[in-house]
Amino acid sequence: MARFSNGADHVRRRALAVDALASVDADSLRENAFLRTRGIVSGRDVVDVMAEIARPVLVGVLAEALGLPDVSADVAGVAAAYHPHVAPGEAAEAALTRLVAACGGPTESAAARIGLLVQACDATAGLIGNGLFASLTGKPAEQPVLATRRRIDGADVTVSLAGTPFGAGPRACPGSRHALALSAGVLEALRGFRLTEGETTWVSSPNLRMPSALWVTRG
Ligand code: HEM
């Protein structure tokens, strides 16, 4: 995928991802994220937004827009394992094999679509979690992705993203509009909810700042 490629490979693979995203309408993402979230919370008093809504909704909606079945569980498994410093286990390898099959076999176009879903997964869940936490507490929304990792000449390099939430330059995030639309749809559907008395916990990662659990209830 583009993210960990360099030179001509990066340019070609990024173009495939950008082309696939170009067919995805941001307004429909927002509407579908709203409807799916509404469906999940309907009849529920208390829900953990991070476990039950953020990733399943955003990945499910984006996958559908890319013409794929609901592969959200497999995308979440791969997203947790695809960074250069993590050794993927058997479960992540099996999830990736299923994703490749859902995309019609191992091609660069399949990798581009899987790359979009995997890139979208944690970062947009962070956007949703931080946006909701901020709107429910009145605190400023925090940036979910604090640093990015690249692979340069076989070495893993960490690049700080301070002040640039979606990156910059030739590798800047091509999905920022889509991410904001998905997040807006989820947050709109949770209007009127409030935090429960339970504690909000945060993921322990030097790269990500986002809740690991965010329990809300109807206001
Ligand atoms: C629909 C949701 C999203 C999609 C489809 C998406 C897709 C992508 C893709 C394909 C890349 C790789 C670009 C390349 O290698 O040239 C990328 C990079 C990036 N994305 Fe996103 N993304 C999404 C959401 C987000 C969110 C919510 C954030 C942060 C708030 C974010 C931050 C970034 C950053 C910082 C990079 C650059 C990484 C680097 O320079 O190494 N993305 N994104």
Side-chain angles (χ1 to χ4, degrees), residues 77-208:
V78 171
Y82 87 114
H83 293 282
H85 62 297
V86 178
E90 267 176 40
E93 293 289 1
L96 182 59
T97 302
R98 286 191 295 271
L99 287 179
V100 171
C103 290
T107 59
E108 281 204 332
S109 134
R113 280 174 290 156
I114 295 169
L116 287 173
L117 295 169
V118 168
Q119 279 293 130
C121 186
D122 286 343
T124 312
L127 202 61
I128 291 168
N130 290 0
L132 186 62
F133 184 78
S135 77
L136 297 181
T137 58
K139 295 180 181 165
E142 295 195 59
Q143 181 174 327
V145 185
L146 307 174
T148 181
R149 281 174 184 266
R150 307 248 182 88
R151 177 150 283 181
I152 299 169
D153 294 333
D156 296 342
V157 177
T158 300
V159 180
S160 166
L161 290 169
T164 60
F166 289 104
R171 287 177 183 271
C173 180
S176 53
R177 264 183 343 108
H178 304 81
L180 290 167
L182 288 163
S183 171
V186 171
L187 263 56
E188 223 171 292
L190 293 174
R191 213 172 274 160
F193 279 68
R194 62 175 173 79
L195 289 177
T196 66
E197 304 305 317
E199 211 187 322
T200 299
T201 52
W202 299 82
V203 302
S204 73
S205 155
N207 291 2
L208 295 173

